[in-house]
């Protein structure tokens, strides 16, 4: 429950039309499941983000920063806190030579297209990743041999006290599907990419190839959060799941994809509980068969 005092304070920072009460998180995540959030705030600029970070940390009110929701599972009971949504109102791309600066609500696919249009190479791998720039830098998203750590020069972040800071790639401590931003209460606001000059036609051909492979191998016709599990060292999660006899395994509306066993999909009217049950069953069976522990890649909002 959002108190009148808290709501009135938020209205001092945020236009009232950008404050949405009791909104369904199913509308804000690519899994298309989840109950309501107490409040969703559509952030428009870094000043609003700074003010909200400072205020919510000061009063110790729970909050979660959400971009495209492509790596997030919202629970059926919803979220008893505030969602700071960095979505379409927090988009923007500028190109200066071989430097691209993007607000973190911008879709990564848009940035990769902008790079291609300016003959800049380095972001081809991101052509089909369905996440926002913010989510991608937090989890060091990658595909086809490329990842964010290879192209990020610095990130402008908002600290818990509202201070705006710049962190270079060294301080971001990038790892496999990991960065310092995943564990600290710093909010990524802008990402500066440093790319290289390349041949536009060759860049486009690589992007088209990656997108073709995605359409061929991934279950893009179903709501999901992309690859459900991290790649275990020395193995491929999808093959372990397939070899455990789990292709097409289903609980309720959640299903292990027939097309790519590394994906758990919403095959129709799934609940978050269904998805979590499938994930747990997959983890147990793979461990029983191969003694390999699978670690989910998705973030559970709770």
């Amino acid at each position: 429950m959002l108190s009148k005092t808290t709501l009135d304070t938020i209205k001092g920072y945020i236009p009232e039309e950008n404050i949405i009460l009791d909104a369904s998180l199913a509308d804000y995540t690519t899994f298309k499941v989840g109950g309501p959030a107490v409040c969703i705030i559509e952030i428009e600029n870094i000043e609003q983000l700074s003010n909200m970070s400072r205020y919510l940390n000061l009063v110790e009110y729970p909050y979660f920063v959400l971009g495209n929701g492509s790596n997030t599972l919202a629970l059926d009971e919803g979220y008893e806190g505030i969602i700071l949504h960095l979505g379409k109102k927090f988009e923007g791309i500028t190109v200066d030579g071989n430097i691209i600066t993007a607000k973190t609500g911008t879709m990564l696919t848009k940035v990769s297209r902008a790079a291609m249009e300016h003959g800049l190479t380095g972001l081809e791998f991101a052509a089909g990743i369905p996440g926002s720039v913010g989510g991608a830098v937090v989890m060091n998203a990658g595909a086809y041999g490329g990842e964010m750590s290879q192209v990020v020069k610095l990130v402008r972040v908002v600290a818990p006290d509202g201070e705006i800071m710049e962190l270079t790639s060294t301080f971001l401590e990038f790892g496999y599907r990991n960065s310092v931003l995943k564990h600290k209460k710093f909010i990524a606001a802008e990402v500066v990419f440093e790319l290289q000059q390349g041949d536009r036609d060759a860049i486009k051909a690589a992007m088209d190839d990656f997108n073709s492979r995605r359409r061929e191998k991934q279950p893009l016709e179903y709501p999901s959060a992309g690859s459900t599990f991290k790649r275990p060292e020395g193995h491929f999660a999808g093959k372990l799941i397939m070899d455990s006899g789990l292709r097409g395994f289903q609980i309720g509306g959640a299903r292990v994809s027939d097309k790519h066993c590394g994906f758990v999909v919403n095959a129709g009217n799934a609940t978050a509980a269904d998805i979590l049950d499938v994930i747990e069953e997959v983890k147990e069976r793979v461990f029983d068969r191969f003694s390999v522990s699978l670690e989910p890649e998705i973030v559970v909002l709770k």
Side-chain angles (χ1 to χ4, degrees), residues 160-172:
D161 64 358
E163 182 183 359
I164 299 168
M165 306 169 60
E166 292 188 349
L167 301 180
T168 63
S169 57
T170 301
F171 287 97
L172 292 168

Side-chain angles (χ1 to χ4, degrees), residues 184-204:
K184 303 293 184 182
K185 295 186 77 172
F186 289 85
I187 305 172
E190 285 187 341
V191 176
V192 179
F193 298 91
E194 185 171 25
L195 306 175
Q196 303 297 320
Q197 291 294 328
D199 179 80
R200 186 183 184 279
D201 291 338
I203 295 167
K204 184 178 185 302

Side-chain angles (χ1 to χ4, degrees), residues 71 125 129 135-150 169 172-183 225-238 240 260 262-263 292-299:
N71 197 47
F125 73 90
I129 295 178
V137 75
V138 167
M139 68 171 291
N140 190 22
Y144 302 115
E147 61 181 22
M148 294 290 282
S149 64
Q150 299 167 356
S169 57
L172 292 168
E173 299 179 11
F174 284 120
Y176 174 64
R177 301 297 176 265
N178 198 17
S179 78
V180 72
L181 297 176
K182 195 172 182 179
H183 309 284
S227 181
T228 306
F229 300 95
K230 294 180 181 180
R231 185 181 67 245
E233 189 173 353
H235 301 276
F236 291 99
L240 291 172
H260 189 314
F263 286 64
V292 175
S293 297
L294 291 182
E295 182 181 350
E297 188 170 301
I298 60 176
V299 176

Side-chain angles (χ1 to χ4, degrees), residues 235-250:
H235 301 276
F236 291 99
K239 188 174 190 311
L240 291 172
I241 296 167
M242 180 179 67
D243 291 347
S244 297
L246 288 164
R247 182 188 294 276
F249 174 77
Q250 186 161 340

Side-chain angles (χ1 to χ4, degrees), residues 22-48:
D22 299 319
S24 171
L25 288 164
D27 297 329
Y28 289 83
T29 60
T30 58
F31 252 135
K32 301 302 178 187
V33 303
V38 169
C39 175
I40 295 179
I41 299 174
E42 298 287 353
I43 299 293
E44 292 184 344
N45 54 57
I46 197 168
E47 289 78 19
Q48 290 179 2

Side-chain angles (χ1 to χ4, degrees), residues 68-91:
N68 191 50
S70 59
N71 197 47
T72 305
L73 176 62
L75 298 180
D76 300 315
E77 56 267 34
Y79 178 62
E80 289 294 323
I82 290 173
I83 299 292
L84 301 180
H85 188 221
L86 305 184
K88 291 184 178 180
K89 291 181 181 291
F90 201 75
E91 286 189 347

